[in-house]
Amino acid sequence: MGKPTWRTALSDRIPGGRDGRRMLTVTFVDRIGSGLWGATATLYFTYAAGLSTAEIGVLLAVSGSVGIAGPPLGGLLADRVPLRPLLIIVQLVRAVASLALLTTTDLGLLLAITSVGSLGDRAASVLTKLYATRVAGPGRVRYQAISRTAMNVGWAVGGLAAAAALTGGTVTVYRWLLIGDALSFLASALFTLGCAEPPSAARVAAKSTPAPGESTASAPGEPTPHDSAPSDSAPSESAPSQSAPSNSASAPGKTTAPTPWRDRRYLTYTASEAVLFLDDSVFKIGLPLWAVTATSAPHQLVPLLLVLNNVLVVLFQVPFARFGATPHTARASLWPLAGAFLLGGAALAASTVGAPWLAAVTLVLAATAFTVAEMLHATISWELSVVLAPPTAQGAYLGVHGLAQAVQRSVGPLAVTAAIAAGPLGWLGLGAGLAAMCGAQRHLVRDRGDGALSVAPVTVSEH
């Protein structure tokens, strides 16, 4: 046999086989559109739609609030209907919503359209994560790292394309960028059409639960519960008898699936996640505002800090996957995550002291620390959010987990601006608070002897 080509070697390093690679393409194309729209949205609503600053604020606040329902709704549906067509429908809804923005300048209609778009955006995020979880199986953490790299590259490509186009500065350019955003969703739907449907433990369990007097045999062509995991899975992944209490609803004799809304441990875990996702608001709001209002660093440094974040994620997110290789490794990695948060807060607090060059150095240190925290938390969060969810309700649980980011987007700006208002002590307090939350989460997800952190639910297909 000949030596494998570089393309084959690269494919072998991406979990999930062909479908995993195709979903990476979907992620990349989707984020190109997000980069186009993210750089254009405010300008479009100002100059093309003719909205005032206050109206734009209302528009974004209302649509963001409606979008919070996207993750749990998408996850709930994913446990009941096939995932691939559901994801295609959501992508098409996003495309229609983007194009519909071109048809009106009425605030009421724009509110309705952007709310539908926001709902689709948030739902698509959790559905894409769920697909990756099912198709990549035990390699899901590495897949997540590669996926985040693709996201950042896509955002960069979209942002650079928008920056080049915006040099024209005309309403026509804004409209074409919005059309580009819609086309990215259409392309994502087409790529998803080429993916296979991964088996779902939730739907397999529902089909295999017999009514009184019925046989438990599966219909021809339908996967049995044992088919939902690859036959060569390691024993530690199959978990025949070690299931968490939250999984007990799937035991023989019970017909109701577990619900995350009654799982106090998972709800508390999700609440702690909303706090740990604050690194997003720190980068988008806190770091730029603090740099230009409280330090003597040159203002030109601000966009470079955002570039630094993007470059570090692209270069190191995949190597960082080792910190979430197993549930126990992910739990142990909460300590270095706490250290990164502490260092980032301390560096921001110190950035007000000294000459401009010292302020610049401490801001770079803070940006690096919070980027390390972002990469660590992304890896840890992906693993723990999946392993704490029962396989038969994975969609519903991951949908609830998706609320953490949605809530952070609403509350995070308030927390970060409060830290800025408090001065250096505010950043020290924020860093210490985030570190404390890492310790609390580590205690929350400890192995209680129920097997919750001993096994990883596997609901995958290998193509």
Side-chain angles (χ1 to χ4, degrees):
M1 296 179 65
K3 293 183 179 180
T5 65
W6 67 268
R7 186 172 297 179
T8 302
L10 180 63
S11 298
D12 291 342
R13 293 179 64 84
I14 300 176
R18 180 195 64 185
D19 293 330
R21 295 192 297 274
R22 287 185 176 178
M23 193 51 62
L24 284 177
T25 303
V26 171
T27 298
F28 175 70
V29 172
D30 186 315
R31 287 306 185 271
I32 290 177
S34 298
L36 291 174
W37 179 238
T40 315
T42 303
L43 295 172
Y44 178 85
F45 289 130
T46 301
Y47 297 107
L51 301 183
S52 67
T53 301
E55 287 173 329
I56 293 174
V58 170
L59 185 72
L60 297 179
V62 171
S63 62
S65 298
V66 173
I68 290 176
L73 180 60
L76 188 66
L77 289 172
D79 283 337
R80 286 160 172 75
V81 300
L83 179 56
R84 185 187 65 131
L86 178 61
L87 185 52
I88 291 172
I89 290 171
V90 170
Q91 296 285 19
L92 292 176
V93 167
R94 297 170 76 195
V96 170
S98 293
L99 292 174
L101 290 174
L102 296 167
T103 66
T104 183
T105 58
D106 178 76
L107 179 60
L109 290 175
L110 289 173
L111 278 170
I113 294 168
T114 55
S115 294
V116 171
S118 179
L119 198 67
D121 289 344
R122 305 285 175 83
S125 178
V126 74
L127 292 176
T128 303
K129 175 180 179 179
L130 185 58
Y131 189 97
T133 298
R134 289 176 179 176
V135 80
R140 60 180 172 266
V141 175
R142 178 175 176 81
Y143 186 92
Q144 176 267 350
I146 299 172
S147 179
R148 290 198 79 238
T149 301
M151 287 181 190
N152 277 269
V153 174
W155 263 102
V157 170
L160 289 172
L166 288 173
T167 56
T170 65
V171 171
T172 301
V173 169
Y174 305 148
R175 288 175 177 154
W176 275 110
L177 288 172
L178 180 54
I179 292 173
D181 184 36
L183 290 176
S184 75
F185 300 144
L186 289 174
S188 295
L190 288 174
F191 283 120
T192 305
L193 194 62
C195 296
E197 173 69 25
S200 163
R203 290 189 295 109
V204 169
K207 291 176 182 177
S208 62
T209 301
E214 288 186 357
S215 169
T216 59
S218 299
E222 290 288 348
T224 66
H226 297 290
D227 293 333
S228 60
S231 58
D232 57 350
S233 294
S236 62
E237 296 291 336
S238 59
S241 61
Q242 300 181 42
S243 59
S246 59
N247 298 8
S248 61
S250 60
K254 296 189 179 182
T255 58
T256 57
T259 170
W261 301 108
R262 295 180 182 177
D263 190 332
R264 294 181 180 178
R265 185 187 194 186
Y266 202 85
L267 289 176
T268 305
Y269 167 72
T270 299
S272 69
E273 286 285 271
V275 176
L276 296 184
F277 275 120
L278 276 174
D279 62 83
D280 181 65
S281 289
V282 169
F283 253 106
K284 290 181 178 178
I285 299 170
L287 196 57
L289 274 179
W290 181 256
V292 300
T293 62
T295 77
S296 58
H299 292 185
Q300 296 90 332
L301 179 66
V302 172
L304 296 179
L305 295 177
L306 300 179
V307 171
L308 174 65
N309 169 261
N310 201 289
V311 170
L312 289 176
V313 171
V314 169
L315 291 178
F316 296 108
Q317 184 66 74
V318 173
F320 268 56
R322 71 187 61 163
F323 292 101
T326 68
H328 289 289
T329 303
R331 179 175 178 265
S333 298
L334 284 164
W335 283 134
L337 176 60
F341 279 133
L342 278 173
L343 178 59
L348 284 175
S351 63
T352 58
V353 180
W357 70 267
L358 184 57
V361 169
T362 52
L363 286 173
V364 169
L365 177 60
T368 303
F370 276 109
T371 301
V372 169
E374 175 190 340
M375 293 187 290
L376 277 173
H377 181 235
T379 299
I380 296 166
S381 176
W382 183 289
E383 178 65 8
L384 294 181
S385 65
V386 172
V387 79
L388 291 173
T392 55
Q394 206 171 58
Y397 271 70
L398 292 183
V400 167
H401 181 261
L403 286 173
Q405 284 182 302
V407 170
Q408 188 280 141
R409 289 189 184 101
S410 299
V411 180
L414 297 176
V416 169
T417 51
I420 292 174
L425 288 178
W427 286 116
L428 288 174
L430 182 66
L434 290 170
M437 185 58 71
C438 291
Q441 187 179 103
R442 187 176 186 275
H443 178 76
L444 176 68
V445 301
R446 71 192 186 281
D447 194 338
R448 301 173 177 177
D450 54 26
L453 291 185
S454 299
V455 298
V458 178
T459 56
V460 303
S461 61
E462 293 193 356
H463 304 281

